[in-house]
Amino acid sequence: MGVLRAFFGGIGFFFEGMRWCARHPRWWLFGLLPALVTLVIYAVALTFLGGRAGDLADFATPFADGWNPGLRDTMRFLLGIVIFGMGLAIAVLTFTALTLIIGEPFYEKLSEKVEESYGEVPEGNDVPWWRAIPRSIRDSLITLWFALLFTVPLFALGFVPVIGQTVVPVLGAAVSGFFLTVELTTLAMERRGMRRKERFGVLRANKAAALGFGVVVFLIFLIPVGAVVAMPVAVAGAAIMVRLHLGPAATALPRRQGDRDPRTPPPLPGRS
């Protein structure tokens, strides 16, 4: 029951972020800009990939040139779908990382504003942008590498009858959700001086909450344009989750009268 409660508590933090953005619509609009830029980049890239998937399938299967035309064309058509599907999966996995890199000044400010509404903002370590961006890119690439270690085998298992249509989608959502949480909590954790290994450690120690938060973000990101609309909400929810829940990241900061105790998780969706 404790794990299930923590999982739904993680979902609750996303709705906390939604409530915060509803109370501060100008900041929600502010957070849309980098996500829109990333959406255009991925739309162009996926359109190009969709138009070239057949050519890539032909290039990858020269051994099939002498096959029966019907069998050859069917096999290459299915391979083209697989190639495009892999591109789409990678796009979903990397959308958050690229958006955070492109919009780091936007989301840093948004995350700070969220924390201001709960009290004092941690001072963190001031790092010049020309050092912060390369470090963010490096950390995102490392996170992507770990994510691909899980998602590539799962993608292959997706073609196994029954398992591929039942177990694999659930595992895929869990893996993708966890790594989305890794990316989204980076800003608030770095503000507390936590480096990549420390951040991973905190999230592993709070797996259920990290999964709850990340899975709901992942499912919304699958909806067309959902990633753009929900990105500011996800950043706000991640900042709240780090401040109020994630173990050593939820430091005892001074709070204004009426703020929630950091040790107390937010109410579950639908509760007052």
Side-chain angles (χ1 to χ4, degrees):
M1 289 297 293
V3 172
L4 196 60
R5 180 179 177 82
F7 180 84
F8 282 103
I11 294 175
F13 284 114
F14 177 82
F15 287 96
E16 286 280 307
M18 185 180 292
R19 279 191 282 270
W20 191 92
C21 287
R23 293 194 300 267
H24 304 83
R26 283 174 27 178
W27 282 101
W28 173 72
L29 290 171
F30 178 78
L32 289 181
L33 297 176
L36 284 170
V37 173
T38 309
L39 178 66
V40 171
I41 293 172
Y42 276 108
V44 171
L46 288 172
T47 300
F48 178 82
L49 179 62
R52 297 290 184 274
D55 295 336
L56 290 172
D58 292 347
F59 177 77
T61 57
F63 55 85
D65 288 342
W67 289 11
N68 175 278
L71 178 61
R72 180 193 63 212
D73 293 345
T74 300
M75 187 270 291
R76 286 177 171 170
F77 175 75
L78 293 174
L79 181 58
I81 293 176
V82 170
I83 291 170
F84 182 78
M86 288 183 67
L88 185 60
I90 292 172
V92 172
L93 280 173
T94 58
F95 182 91
T96 298
L98 183 59
T99 304
L100 289 174
I101 290 169
I102 291 173
E104 181 159 354
F106 289 79
Y107 294 124
E108 180 67 43
K109 195 67 179 174
L110 172 61
S111 184
E112 285 180 5
K113 283 294 179 182
V114 172
E115 294 222 47
E116 277 182 13
S117 65
Y118 283 82
E120 184 178 321
V121 179
E123 293 182 4
N125 301 318
D126 291 331
V127 179
W129 67 266
W130 51 270
R131 289 181 57 190
I133 290 180
R135 189 176 70 186
S136 296
I137 293 172
R138 184 195 65 224
D139 287 353
S140 294
L141 288 174
I142 292 171
T143 301
L144 176 62
W145 167 251
F146 282 116
L148 290 176
L149 287 178
F150 291 95
T151 55
V152 170
L154 286 173
F155 186 82
L157 288 173
F159 294 96
V160 177
V162 183
I163 293 177
Q165 292 73 49
T166 54
V167 178
V168 170
V170 174
L171 292 177
V175 169
S176 299
F178 179 82
F179 285 106
L180 279 174
T181 302
V182 170
E183 293 285 357
L184 289 163
T185 54
T186 295
L187 289 172
M189 287 189 176
E190 282 191 338
R191 193 175 298 122
R192 289 159 170 79
M194 301 176 68
R195 296 304 180 95
R196 178 174 50 80
K197 289 184 180 179
E198 294 173 289
R199 299 196 302 266
F200 266 92
V202 169
L203 291 170
R204 282 198 300 267
N206 295 270
K207 256 195 221 75
L211 284 172
F213 181 80
V215 166
V216 72
V217 172
F218 173 74
L219 294 176
I220 290 173
F221 277 19
L222 289 177
I223 301 170
V225 196
V228 175
V229 175
M231 189 67 188
V233 174
V235 171
I240 296 169
M241 181 165 67
V242 170
R243 185 176 184 102
L244 302 184
H245 182 70
L246 290 181
T251 52
L253 297 171
R255 290 174 291 117
R256 293 197 297 264
Q257 186 175 5
D259 282 340
R260 185 187 294 113
D261 189 326
R263 295 167 296 180
T264 304
L268 297 182
R271 295 187 183 181
S272 57

